[in-house]
Amino acid sequence: MGPLIFSLNLTLDGCVDHQEGIADDETHAFFTRLMDECGAMLWGRVTYEMMESAWPAVARGDEEAPPALREWAVKLQAKPKYVVSSTRKDFPWANSHHVAGDLREGVQKLKDENPAGVLLGSGKLATGLDRLDLIDEYQLLVHPRIAGHGPTLHEGGLPGTRRLELLSAEPLRNGAVAMHYRRAR
């Protein structure tokens, strides 16, 4: 069984608005490495639709993009992508699959089928999966910014405090810090 790894950009004050982070070659290399190390991606519908609206065109070469972004897009195109949605059933982007039925069972099955792990990249979905006690690791890229607004990480709350064990903390040249934690059980 592989781990479920939650990874997201966030500011020092916990804002997870994707427009608040630093988008440069270094941050894209960080997320490309994480994606390479995992067997599949897992998103909620909103994140899937945001990604679907941009990355396939970059992967096809229909849009100009720096090499780091093109590399990310091409790898993402090939990576199995799983989507949790109660409102959408059709996911035409290459290698996209719907996670239907019981959330706990569906995500546990993904973990069982992906020994390299599943990379979770949706904040609201992460809250739901954390409530189900399914997240094993957190790889957060903390940006040197204070947004002063939301949405924030786990805005809806959790039933209790999550104790984490620090595995690594690596500063990037742009001032962000890559934090890797494992759930202390």
Side-chain angles (χ1 to χ4, degrees):
M1 175 179 76
L4 180 60
I5 303 163
F6 175 42
S7 183
L8 208 62
N9 289 298
L10 73 150
T11 63
L12 288 173
D13 56 345
C15 178
V16 295
D17 182 331
H18 73 278
Q19 297 177 11
E20 291 297 340
I22 299 167
D24 63 9
D25 286 351
E26 193 173 24
T27 58
H28 286 289
F30 170 79
F31 286 108
T32 300
R33 179 186 54 79
L34 284 179
M35 181 174 56
D36 287 346
E37 291 172 356
C38 289
M41 307 293 286
L42 176 61
W43 297 319
R45 179 192 54 80
V46 172
T47 301
Y48 174 86
E49 289 175 349
M50 179 181 64
M51 303 295 268
E52 178 187 41
S53 72
W55 295 113
V58 174
R60 288 189 307 268
D62 295 347
E63 293 189 21
E64 291 294 319
L69 292 182
R70 179 134 359 262
E71 177 188 10
W72 160 264
V74 168
K75 288 181 176 188
L76 186 57
Q77 187 80 3
K79 187 64 75 171
K81 295 169 282 293
Y82 293 87
V83 187
V84 173
S85 176
S86 61
T87 59
R88 183 174 170 182
K89 308 292 185 232
D90 181 42
F91 300 93
W93 184 12
N95 299 308
S96 295
H97 312 276
H98 186 217
V99 177
D102 182 78
L103 182 60
R104 180 187 302 276
E105 289 175 14
V107 172
Q108 187 61 55
K109 182 179 178 200
L110 284 178
K111 290 171 67 170
D112 292 343
E113 293 173 352
N114 289 281
V118 177
L119 188 61
L120 166 63
S122 295
K124 286 183 182 178
L125 180 57
T127 300
L129 294 176
D130 223 339
R131 287 180 183 147
L132 294 172
D133 207 22
L134 288 169
I135 298 177
D136 303 295
E137 296 181 19
Y138 302 78
Q139 292 224 20
L140 304 172
L141 195 55
V142 182
H143 293 262
R145 297 184 174 179
I146 297 173
H149 65 85
T152 58
L153 189 61
H154 293 327
E155 204 166 76
L158 295 174
T161 301
R162 300 292 187 245
R163 288 184 40 248
L164 307 176
E165 172 189 356
L166 179 65
L167 300 178
S168 67
E170 179 184 339
L172 279 60
R173 291 183 309 278
N174 63 20
V177 179
M179 307 292 291
H180 185 186
Y181 292 94
R182 177 175 39 224
R183 181 84 186 269
R185 300 210 186 248

